[in-house]
Amino acid sequence: MTHQRTLTAAHWGVYEVEYDEAGKPTKLHPFSKDPDPSPIGLHMLSDEVARLRVLRPAIRKSWLEKGPGANSDKRGQEPFVEVPWDEALDLVAGELKRVRETHGNSAIFGGSYGWSSAGRFHHAQSQVKRFLNCYGGFVRHMDSYSLGAARVLMPHIVATMEELMAMHTRWETLAEHCKLFVTFGGVPRKNAQINAGGATLHHVKGGLFKMREQGVRFVNVTPTGDDLDNGGDVEWLAIRPNTDAAMMLALCHVLWTEKLYDRAFLDRCTVGFDKFAPTLEGKTPEWAEKITGIPASRIRSLAREMAATRTTVSIGWSLQRSHHGEQPFWALITLACMLGQIGLPGGGFGVGYGPVNLMGSNHARYSGPTLPQGTNPVKDFIPVARFTDMLLHPGQSFDYNGARHKYPDIRFVYWAGGNPYHHHQDLNRLRQAWRKPETIVFHEQFWTPAAKMADIVLPATVSLERDDIGYGTREPYLIAMKKARAPLGESRDDYDIFHALAQRLGVADQHSEGHKDAKDWMAHLYEEARQKSAKAGVTLPAFDAFWEAGIAEAKGENRDPVMLAKFREDPAKNPLKTPSGKIEIFSEKIASFGYDDCPGHATWIEPIEWLGAKTAERYPLHMLSDQPADKLHSQLDHSPHSRATKIKGRQPITLHPDDATARGIAAGDLVRVFNDRGACLAAARLSDRIRRGVVRLSTGAWFDPADAGSNRPLEKHGNPNALTLDIGASKLSQGCIAQTCLVEIERYDGPAPVVTAHQLPAFAGR
Ligand SMILES: Nc1nc2c(c(=O)[nH]1)N[C@H]1C(S)=C(S)[C@@H](COP(=O)(O)OP(=O)(O)OC[C@H]3O[C@@H](n4cnc5c(=O)[nH]c(N)nc54)[C@H](O)[C@@H]3O)O[C@H]1N2
Ligand SMILES: Nc1nc2c(c(=O)[nH]1)N[C@H]1C(S)=C(S)[C@@H](COP(=O)(O)OP(=O)(O)OC[C@H]3O[C@@H](n4cnc5c(=O)[nH]c(N)nc54)[C@H](O)[C@@H]3O)O[C@H]1N2
Ligand SMILES: [Mo]
């Protein structure tokens, strides 16, 4: 008997699972409907991936023997003791109870940021929040590492990022109507492999190629010229990192002084232009050239070209993952308003063609299934990237979006579905703060660096070991992610782990809401989504039919093919949710906060570290740490696909040949990348598609400190967060600023320490 293929969904794509005669899954194939499938997931069944699975509940030796807080400075250095499930669950439940009774729920951090896996029911971040809410709540996080600055800024001036992302003009319309596409930060196809919840049809390559074929002209403003591939010509303006706001303001300056702006649009659809315009005084192309490195003559001619033709301006998210990262976003919106083409086909702005597959989709908008998280009675929160600050400074106040708040005093950290030793900046600082909580619990699938730094690690199943539903915003298909094999080791679904804890804590009924198992939950969530979608004009088959078929197509039309067209048509009838209902070039609200680092309009404020800073005398290279092409963040770093990209076992760092030569570095050499915060090893990769003075070390190599006992150990594997800076983008957003970072590089001639990131931790008996 031949076993039929089933489907599985990952954030990076859908795969077909092939089985042998005995029903064992043997191989993953790209989804046959996908025009540009991603290779990231092809090895998910491999032995190399399985080798690092967490197989049994494991507890740090001192914690098990001496209790909470014992030798907390030895986290990551001590062996783990494997224990039976019941014992582990009793310990976690008992500790939650102790902390709650002694310190209250606001001593429990469940902010637990992270991408988890695709699959809407077993979404680990939602699962942990739902469980903790059943038990009286937890300290949560606001915003994301992705969009810290933009998520706070954009609702004040246009709309929420979620709204904007889901309303981008489709690729087909751009190809037909746009004449000039100017993008800041490229349209990296490597990033568009991803869509949260499961990319099904990858359309960015097709979209860009079609635009080029139909004669759209491309200008790419970026320090890394390889981040836009349309199959043909692209004009590359190699800007200094973190200076885009200055260039955009100079473009505005030209439009203003040469009266090339659209007064009628500004009057009808925006507020605050007349307050903003005088601040352009002096922000000439010559002024911007000194900051950005882009010739004044080109800035001036570009502004004229933009005003003369149908133009879309687009921006990558990395630009706001920087100090004062609000400014390039605000400046882009301001520029687009002055051009007056917002709401016209092929004109206006995009806030992320490229970062994920969603933007530019021509598929209908409808709701997918989501796990209800319940309500959280605890009011304390942190802006997501202030995690280390919270641990280091309980009781201290911080500014955020117009109000002042206090950091709570955290005793218990509960994490499921994230890797803080991947995502956080300045990991050496995090390691100091990490000593503070009494107990750190992780649910993990793999022995990641963060799992190794925990007290209690509970083994979680992977998507291929459980039934689930794949759904991503504006993807045309829902995927029945069928369980393909039994869980490895003793791993369990996050939901089952939480339910077993809920039983011990007397909140099992709240937790299950009467649903008897995961499948029952899924049917319920799916049917809810089906009804909501019907209201949006999108039809889905009933759950049983969907599950039987293994896939469902969401049938409905794209009702808004042009971003903000309805608003443009009639701003009074279709107002935005901003205070004025219009786009706010000047925001009275933000101005009223009185923040020196984010005034009431777009401006240029020097970042703390950039190529024009004093620090650049000592650390003359701007390090970008972009998203990795070969994986999603740190996930599957140990898979053959990711490992094949490493050089001498390390993450490659891209340098300009001149910068390499000046340092006696040749392609393939091991190098030490360093600044005052830390140092890591990487391997040199040379490219003339990167601006001189800029280097790129993609994220994702598992953090691997050489001497876990020291404060600033040499990181051996090439993790950029050994070097990045951990301060907020501004008082407004407190967003993550990973892209603001200066370093120096030298050839590393010493004996190369072995990379140990992909080894299992040490285990001990009792
Ligand atoms: N320097 C620098 N740092 C950055 C960035 C940058 O540009 N530069 N980017 C930032 C951005 S935008 C982001 S979004 C973050 C991403 O940071 P994270 O989202 O934390 O990174 P991931 O590697 O995706 O971590 C997900 C973890 O969840 C685990 N996991 C997956 N599925 C499950 C599950 O079902 N159950 C459980 N229990 N666990 C599961 C995976 O094994 C993995 O360890 O990184 C940020 N960090
Ligand atoms: N393969 C893969 N795709 C991913 C992810 C992944 O981990 N792997 N992560 C996903 C997630 S969570 C997110 S948030 C998005 C992030 O999407 P982005 O933030 O847009 O992605 P990055 O790769 O950090 O940067 C994109 C480009 O911006 C350029 N850039 C950096 N700094 C500057 C600057 O100051 N000015 C200009 N003009 N350009 C600059 C970089 O050189 C890079 O080529 O990606 C998503 N897509
Ligand atoms: Mo992100």
Side-chain angles (χ1 to χ4, degrees):
M1 183 192 130
T2 52
H3 287 256
Q4 246 190 341
R5 288 187 180 185
T6 57
L7 295 176
T8 192
H11 298 300
W12 43 90
V14 174
Y15 298 87
E16 300 177 4
V17 189
E18 183 188 327
Y19 298 84
D20 67 10
E21 309 256 296
K24 182 175 166 246
T26 49
K27 197 164 183 232
L28 297 177
H29 300 268
F31 184 38
S32 56
K33 296 184 198 294
D34 188 343
D36 184 24
S38 161
I40 290 177
L42 290 171
H43 301 275
M44 291 190 294
L45 285 168
S46 68
D47 292 343
E48 290 92 328
V49 169
R51 190 176 59 79
L52 286 185
R53 284 291 292 277
V54 181
L55 296 176
R56 279 168 288 279
I59 302 186
R60 182 171 65 87
K61 198 166 173 26
S62 292
W63 196 100
L64 184 64
E65 288 170 354
K66 302 186 193 126
N71 299 337
S72 63
D73 59 329
K74 293 284 181 296
R75 288 185 176 123
Q77 299 167 60
E78 274 191 83
F80 285 90
V81 180
E82 293 185 322
V83 304
W85 263 111
D86 276 338
E87 183 178 350
L89 291 167
D90 288 344
L91 286 169
V92 174
E95 177 60 0
L96 270 172
K97 195 156 182 278
R98 179 191 74 85
V99 171
R100 173 175 142 138
E101 278 166 10
T102 329
H103 306 286
N105 282 81
S106 56
I108 301 169
F109 181 75
S112 184
Y113 180 82
W115 265 62
S116 315
S117 289
R120 299 281 79 169
F121 176 69
H122 295 289
H123 181 246
Q125 234 203 101
S126 308
Q127 290 285 353
V128 67
K129 290 175 190 166
R130 174 175 176 82
F131 162 71
L132 289 173
N133 279 336
C134 291
Y135 194 56
F138 61 93
V139 174
R140 68 193 197 281
H141 73 249
M142 300 289 273
D143 313 321
S144 65
Y145 278 79
S146 318
L147 286 162
R151 280 181 58 125
V152 181
L153 170 74
M154 296 302 269
H156 287 293
I157 65 168
V158 209
T160 65
M161 278 304 289
E162 276 74 17
E163 269 296 296
L164 289 169
M165 281 159 69
M167 60 162 83
H168 272 64
T169 301
R170 59 187 190 150
W171 290 110
E172 290 80 356
T173 305
L174 288 178
E176 202 178 329
H177 296 280
C178 177
K179 295 283 174 275
L180 175 62
F181 187 84
V182 180
T183 177
F184 296 83
V187 183
R189 204 157 92 216
K190 63 153 174 93
N191 289 9
Q193 290 174 97
I194 309 300
N195 197 12
T200 60
L201 306 182
H202 291 89
H203 52 225
V204 169
K205 178 183 179 187
L208 287 171
F209 275 56
K210 184 136 198 237
M211 283 173 73
R212 194 250 315 153
E213 281 158 19
Q214 307 229 154
V216 179
R217 198 153 60 80
F218 287 82
V219 177
N220 187 14
V221 185
T222 175
T224 54
D226 59 1
D227 52 23
L228 200 173
D229 173 15
N230 63 8
D233 287 342
V234 175
E235 181 188 349
W236 175 31
L237 298 180
I239 195 166
R240 278 195 193 113
N242 289 197
T243 66
D244 302 76
M247 173 158 167
M248 293 172 191
L249 292 169
L251 291 165
C252 292
H253 184 275
V254 178
L255 299 179
W256 181 53
T257 51
E258 300 189 6
K259 302 221 164 24
L260 296 174
Y261 58 96
D262 185 338
R263 185 81 233 187
F265 180 84
L266 291 171
D267 288 344
R268 248 168 36 86
C269 297
T270 76
V271 294
F273 179 70
D274 292 329
K275 267 183 132 159
F276 162 76
T279 71
L280 287 172
E281 197 67 59
K283 298 201 172 67
T284 60
E286 287 69 22
W287 164 83
E289 174 175 337
K290 291 200 192 87
I291 298 169
T292 61
I294 306 293
S297 57
R298 187 62 192 113
I299 297 177
R300 190 163 280 118
S301 58
L302 183 61
R304 292 172 187 157
E305 289 161 28
M306 289 168 131
T309 192
R310 187 56 60 85
T311 301
T312 292
V313 286
S314 174
I315 193 166
W317 298 350
S318 54
L319 278 80
Q320 53 83 62
R321 233 176 287 118
S322 68
H323 199 210
H324 313 308
E326 296 82 5
Q327 301 313 319
F329 267 58
W330 206 342
L332 184 96
I333 300 299
T334 306
L335 174 62
C337 286
M338 290 180 75
L339 291 170
Q341 302 182 22
I342 293 170
L344 294 179
F349 67 90
V351 280
Y353 283 106
V356 291
N357 192 47
L358 142 71
M359 276 71 80
S361 168
N362 186 30
H363 300 291
R365 218 172 144 180
Y366 64 100
S367 329
T370 40
L371 182 73
Q373 297 181 5
T375 43
N376 186 353
V378 173
K379 291 286 158 273
D380 295 290
F381 73 92
I382 56 164
V384 68
R386 302 276 55 82
F387 178 68
T388 297
D389 284 348
M390 169 186 76
L391 295 181
L392 289 176
H393 307 297
Q396 202 179 83
S397 60
F398 63 93
D399 289 300
Y400 173 74
N401 203 9
R404 187 155 274 197
H405 308 270
K406 269 202 171 77
Y407 289 122
D409 188 359
I410 297 300
R411 312 296 172 121
F412 192 120
V413 170
Y414 209 133
W415 223 291
N419 181 356
Y421 280 87
H422 162 76
H423 63 235
H424 201 63
Q425 283 59 67
D426 196 348
L427 289 175
N428 290 328
R429 184 165 180 262
L430 174 62
R431 287 162 77 250
Q432 303 291 314
W434 198 256
R435 299 172 175 177
K436 158 87 193 352
E438 288 152 25
T439 298
I440 300 177
V441 177
F442 265 74
H443 293 191
E444 250 300 348
Q445 303 166 325
F446 300 101
W447 279 107
T448 64
K452 287 180 185 167
M453 292 291 281
D455 295 320
I456 301 181
V457 184
L458 303 178
T461 49
V462 299
S463 295
L464 288 159
E465 296 162 356
R466 58 200 187 201
D467 288 332
D468 212 337
I469 301 170
Y471 158 88
T473 308
R474 301 201 66 171
E475 297 286 346
Y477 296 109
L478 287 119
I479 306 297
M481 302 165 59
K482 294 194 181 165
K483 178 172 173 170
R485 67 166 185 223
L488 292 196
E490 296 177 17
S491 59
R492 293 186 182 177
D493 298 350
D494 294 288
Y495 177 75
D496 293 339
I497 302 171
F498 287 127
H499 195 66
L501 291 171
Q503 282 168 333
R504 284 167 171 77
L505 295 167
V507 292
D509 291 346
Q510 290 96 301
H511 187 250
S512 70
E513 271 178 40
H515 295 291
K516 64 179 192 302
D517 56 20
K519 196 67 171 294
D520 190 33
W521 263 109
M522 268 184 265
H524 164 73
L525 300 178
Y526 179 94
E527 284 302 332
E528 248 179 18
R530 192 160 82 100
Q531 281 164 28
K532 262 200 245 156
S533 298
K535 286 194 193 124
V538 174
T539 46
L540 297 174
F543 180 75
D544 291 339
F546 156 63
W547 197 258
E548 172 70 30
I551 186 166
E553 187 171 358
K555 294 214 172 84
E557 63 173 320
N558 175 7
R559 290 177 173 181
D560 298 297
V562 176
M563 183 174 185
L564 293 169
K566 286 184 178 146
F567 164 70
R568 181 196 182 93
E569 244 164 58
D570 193 341
K573 202 170 130 218
N574 308 305
L576 302 174
K577 293 194 188 85
T578 58
S580 61
K582 297 186 178 183
I583 302 178
E584 306 221 341
I585 292 174
F586 189 98
S587 162
E588 297 292 348
K589 181 88 181 282
I590 293 178
S592 78
F593 300 158
Y595 296 148
D596 52 351
D597 56 4
C598 190
H601 59 87
T603 188
W604 154 253
I605 315 172
E606 269 193 55
I608 181 167
E609 292 187 8
W610 68 296
L611 290 172
K614 184 108 179 81
T615 321
E617 288 167 16
R618 275 193 306 141
Y619 298 117
L621 299 171
H622 193 120
M623 182 186 77
L624 300 175
S625 46
D626 69 334
Q627 311 292 343
D630 50 313
K631 53 191 168 270
L632 173 67
H633 315 131
S634 69
Q635 298 194 43
L636 299 176
D637 182 43
H638 57 300
S639 91
H641 181 63
S642 159
R643 289 179 69 126
T645 67
K646 309 210 182 216
I647 302 173
K648 297 183 176 141
R650 333 275 152 161
Q651 184 66 35
I653 186 165
T654 307
L655 298 91
H656 190 277
D658 294 352
D659 287 325
T661 308
R663 290 166 177 78
I665 294 167
D669 281 351
L670 273 194
V671 295
R672 192 174 79 100
V673 190
F674 61 99
N675 59 22
D676 289 339
R677 293 177 289 271
C680 74
L681 293 184
R685 180 156 67 189
L686 308 190
S687 166
D688 58 8
R689 303 291 290 161
I690 192 162
R691 189 192 156 90
R692 231 167 284 153
V694 180
V695 299
R696 173 173 61 196
L697 182 59
S698 302
T699 59
W702 285 11
F703 184 63
D704 196 11
D707 172 4
S710 83
N711 282 346
R712 282 192 183 75
L714 177 67
E715 199 282 332
K716 300 178 288 182
H717 194 192
N719 185 311
N721 281 326
L723 300 146
T724 48
L725 181 67
D726 184 18
I727 61 172
S730 71
K731 296 188 187 87
L732 181 79
S733 69
Q734 300 288 359
C736 137
I737 64 157
Q739 306 307 328
T740 298
C741 177
L742 292 174
V743 300
E744 179 54 295
I745 298 187
E746 63 187 18
R747 206 175 62 215
Y748 186 80
D749 293 325
V754 181
V755 175
T756 50
H758 296 157
Q759 293 179 6
L760 293 169
F763 293 102
R766 293 197 192 239

